[in-house]
C-alpha cells in the first residue's frame, strides 16, 4: 500500500528506519530484529541505502522481505549518487516489479572517502531531478523526499535551501521526512516556513535517540544539526556510564516525540539504529504502544 493511503487512515503514522547489515555480514542477521520490530506494530519500515550508492541490492532485498515475509509496509531509500541512468532505471524496475511502491528519493552523500566528489558529474545532480525522472517513468510510486529542519549541511543560506525544497516537492513529492533535530521549536519554525512556501504535503519529523555520548560527534558533523544545552549536559553527566546514557537518550527522544504528537504531527520517523529494545522503550514512554 502507498504510504499516502496510510496518511489518510491514521495520525500520527509511526515509521521505523533500519539499515542493512554490512556487506560482509549475512543478511539474515537483521531478521531477528525485524521479528521484534514487527511486534511493535510500525505503520511502515524504511530501509536505508548505503552511503555513496553502496548496498543497493540489500536495500531492495530487505524491503522486499519486510513487505512479503514480515507483512509490514515498507519504504526503500534510493540515492542516485554515482549511478548510471541504466542502473537507476534497473533499480526502479526492480522496485516496481516487486510491488515496492514507496521510495524515499535522495541525491545521496558523496561516496565514502571522496569528500570532494563532483556532483555535477552525476546523472542527476539534485534530488529534484531524480524525482522528476521517476515521475516521468509513469510508474505509480509514492515518493518521499528529505527535508532539513536546520538547513542541509552544504547549504549556504537557509532561505535558498527552503526554495530548493519547494522545487523538490513541486517535482512530485508526496511527503517529506526530516533529518534529525534535538529541539522541537526548530521543527515548528520549519513547518511555518514550509507553509509560507505552500509546501502542503505531510511532513514527518525524524527523531534519532542518542545512545552513546561519542555517537553524537559523528552525527552532528555529518548532519550539521545543533545540540541544545540540556542534551550536552546529559552527555557530560552520563559520558562514563553507557547504560545510563542509553536510558537518558531514550528518555530525551520520548519527550521529543510526545511533544510532537501533542502538537499534531502527521507522523514520526524513528531512526531506530536497528535497536528494537530501545525503540520499544521509546514508544512505551511516548504512549505509542
Ligand atoms: C530522512 C533521511 C533519510 C536519508 N537516508 C539516506 C540513505 O538511505 N542513504 C544515504 O546515502 N543518505 C541518506 N540521507 C542523507 C542524504 O542523502 C544527504 O543529506 C544528501 O547530502 C542530500 O540528499 P537530498 O536528497 O536531500 O539532496 P538534495 O535535495 O538534492 O539537496 C542537496 C543539496 O543541494 C541543494 N539543492 C537541492 N536542489 C537544488 C537545485 N535545484 N539547485 C541548487 N541547489 C540545490 C540543497 O539545498 C542541499 O544543500 C538521508 C537523509 C534524510 C533526511
Amino acid at each position: 500500500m502507498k504510504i499516502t493511503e496510510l496518511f489518510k487512515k491514521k495520525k500520527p503514522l509511526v515509521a521505523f528506519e533500519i539499515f542493512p547489515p554490512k556487506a560482509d555480514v549475512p543478511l539474515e542477521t537483521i531478521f531477528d530484529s525485524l521479528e521484534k520490530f514487527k511486534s511493535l506494530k510500525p505503520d511502515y519500515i524504511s530501509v536505508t541505502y548505503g552511503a555513496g550508492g553502496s548496498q543497493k541490492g540489500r536495500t531492495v532485498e530487505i524491503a522486499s522481505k519486510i513487505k512479503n515475509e514480515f507483512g509490514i509496509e515498507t519504504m526503500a531509500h534510493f540515492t542516485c549518487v554515482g549511478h548510471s541512468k541504466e542502473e537507476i532505471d534497473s533499480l526502479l524496475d526492480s522496485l516496481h516489479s516487486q510491488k515496492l511502491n514507496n521510495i524515499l528519493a535522495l541525491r545521496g552523500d558523496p561516496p565514502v572517502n571522496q569528500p570532494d566528489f563532483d556532483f555535477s558529474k552525476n546523472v542527476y545532480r539534485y534530488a529534484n531531478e531524480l524525482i522528476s525522472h521517476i515521475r516521468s517513468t509513469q510508474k505509480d510510486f509514492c515518493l518521499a523526499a528529505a527535508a532539513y529542519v536546520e538547513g542541509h549541511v552544504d547549504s549556504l543560506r537557509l532561505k535558498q535551501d527552503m526554495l530548493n525544497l519547494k522545487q523538490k516537492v513541486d517535482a512530485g513529492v508526496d511527503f517529506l521526512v526530516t533529518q534529525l533535530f534535538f529541539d522541537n521549536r526548530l521543527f515548528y519554525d520549519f513547518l511555518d516556513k514550509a507553509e509560507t512556501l505552500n509546501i502542503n504535503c505531510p511532513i514527518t519529523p525524524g527523531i534519532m535517540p542518542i545512545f552513546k555520548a561519542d555517537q553524537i560527534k559523528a552525527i552532528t558533523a555529518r548532519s550539521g544539526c545543533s545540540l541544545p544545552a540540556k542534551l550536552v549536559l546529559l552527555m557530560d553527566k552520563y559520558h562514563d556510564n553507557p547504560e545510563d546514557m542509553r536510558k537518558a537518550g531514550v528518555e530525551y527522544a520520548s519527550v521529543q516525540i510526545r511533544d510532537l504528537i501533542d502538537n499534531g504531527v502527521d507522523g514520526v520517523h524513528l531512526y531506530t539504529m536497528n535497536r528494537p529494545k530501545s525503540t520499544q522503550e521509546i514508544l512505551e514512554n511516548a504512549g505509542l504502544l
Side-chain angles (χ1 to χ4, degrees):
M1 183 188 284
K2 287 181 173 183
I3 293 167
T4 34
E5 294 304 312
L6 297 178
F7 275 117
K8 289 180 196 157
K9 292 184 180 172
K10 190 181 163 221
K11 187 173 169 174
L13 291 187
V14 177
F16 296 167
E17 177 178 306
I18 64 157
F19 52 83
K22 289 202 173 104
D24 54 352
V25 176
L27 195 73
E28 292 68 30
T29 54
I30 192 88
F31 294 171
D32 185 40
S33 299
L34 282 173
E35 269 313 333
K36 291 178 183 140
F37 281 133
K38 182 177 179 175
S39 71
L40 305 179
K41 298 188 170 37
D43 293 299
Y44 65 96
I45 294 183
S46 82
V47 187
T48 65
Y49 201 83
S54 58
Q55 297 195 345
K56 57 186 171 179
R58 289 205 141 176
T59 302
V60 178
E61 201 177 342
I62 293 174
S64 176
K65 288 207 182 296
I66 290 174
K67 180 157 180 162
N68 300 314
E69 292 180 25
F70 289 85
I72 306 169
E73 196 45 74
T74 185
M75 173 167 78
H77 297 207
F78 182 169
T79 71
C80 58
V81 58
H83 285 343
S84 66
K85 172 97 170 29
E86 291 68 32
E87 284 172 326
I88 291 169
D89 284 340
S90 143
L91 201 56
L92 288 174
D93 285 345
S94 161
L95 289 165
H96 190 250
S97 65
Q98 297 187 53
K99 299 201 169 23
L100 298 170
N101 38 15
N102 300 297
I103 298 178
L104 176 57
L106 302 147
R107 179 197 70 177
D109 282 326
V112 182
N113 300 329
Q114 295 185 49
D116 299 325
F117 182 81
D118 181 0
F119 282 100
S120 69
K121 299 214 165 80
N122 253 6
V123 176
Y124 302 116
R125 182 168 186 171
Y126 299 112
N128 69 297
E129 297 167 19
L130 172 67
I131 289 158
S132 295
H133 171 66
I134 299 175
R135 285 299 179 220
S136 76
T137 64
Q138 306 292 325
K139 291 189 171 83
D140 193 20
F141 287 117
C142 166
L143 290 186
Y148 301 86
V149 168
E150 298 181 66
H152 182 265
V153 68
D154 295 339
S155 68
L156 301 176
R157 295 190 63 176
L158 291 183
K159 187 173 175 195
Q160 188 57 49
D161 199 51
M162 286 303 290
L163 292 172
N164 293 340
L165 177 65
K166 167 72 174 159
Q167 191 181 2
K168 184 155 72 169
V169 171
D170 289 348
V173 165
D174 293 304
F175 73 102
L176 293 168
V177 184
T178 80
Q179 191 174 55
L180 60 123
F181 57 89
F182 297 108
D183 182 344
N184 288 0
R185 289 174 304 179
L186 298 171
F187 177 72
Y188 302 133
D189 280 352
F190 171 81
L191 288 185
D192 291 341
K193 287 184 205 140
E195 191 180 3
T196 312
L197 289 173
N198 274 323
I199 295 177
N200 299 316
C201 62
I203 302 179
T204 301
I207 298 297
M208 179 175 281
I210 295 304
F211 297 129
K212 293 180 188 165
D214 53 8
Q215 162 200 5
I216 195 78
K217 278 189 203 145
I219 290 169
T220 48
R222 211 168 41 231
S223 68
C225 73
S226 57
L227 288 180
K230 57 185 170 187
L231 188 56
V232 175
L233 291 174
L234 278 184
M235 290 182 322
D236 283 349
K237 186 169 174 189
Y238 298 119
H239 192 267
D240 296 326
N241 190 331
E243 180 52 13
D244 283 353
M245 181 68 233
R246 188 195 70 80
K247 285 185 185 154
V250 162
E251 175 66 16
Y252 194 94
S254 311
V255 170
Q256 257 194 296
I257 292 174
R258 190 64 257 163
D259 177 71
L260 290 163
I261 294 169
D262 289 346
N263 281 281
V265 286
D266 299 307
V268 175
H269 181 98
L270 195 56
Y271 295 101
T272 68
M273 321 290 281
N274 293 6
R275 290 175 177 238
K277 175 174 178 257
S278 300
T279 300
Q280 176 169 357
E281 289 170 10
I282 291 168
L283 296 189
E284 279 167 358
N285 292 346
L288 286 169
L289 270 188

